Amino acid sequence: MTELTATLVINITDSYCGHCRKPVLPKSTRHDDICGWSPKPGAGCGARFVDMRSDYRNITDEDLLRVRPDLPIRNTRSA
């Protein structure tokens, strides 16, 4: 069985799973729960986060590493 993996997307006021695009807490190692205004414990897609990125241009790599120093940064930004 293949393990489901995903990118953790960390933004200014929210974060979400790069696989299912549902909300998740930025400190989560797996997408087990959907968080936010209508939390759904156990309803996440189950993906394990293997890297991170942001949708916002002004969030730096250093900002991301302050939140999750354990994850590498997936660099999808153009220079």
Side-chain angles (χ1 to χ4, degrees):
M1 184 173 172
T2 304
E3 179 184 30
L4 184 61
T5 59
T7 297
L8 174 62
V9 183
I10 300 173
N11 293 314
I12 295 170
T13 59
D14 69 334
S15 56
Y16 65 88
C17 173
H19 174 73
C20 68
R21 302 187 64 82
K22 301 265 191 258
V24 66
L25 292 173
K27 294 291 186 179
S28 299
T29 57
R30 302 186 76 82
H31 191 207
D32 295 325
D33 304 320
I34 295 176
C35 67
W37 290 103
S38 300
K40 296 180 180 125
C45 68
R48 180 176 58 87
F49 297 118
V50 295
D51 56 14
M52 65 181 161
R53 68 174 180 82
S54 180
D55 292 334
Y56 291 97
R57 187 177 205 133
N58 291 335
I59 293 180
T60 66
D61 291 352
E62 291 79 18
D63 294 332
L64 291 173
L65 289 170
R66 273 194 290 280
V67 176
R68 288 299 299 269
D70 60 314
L71 288 177
I73 295 169
R74 180 176 187 190
N75 196 346
T76 57
R77 304 173 194 190
S78 55

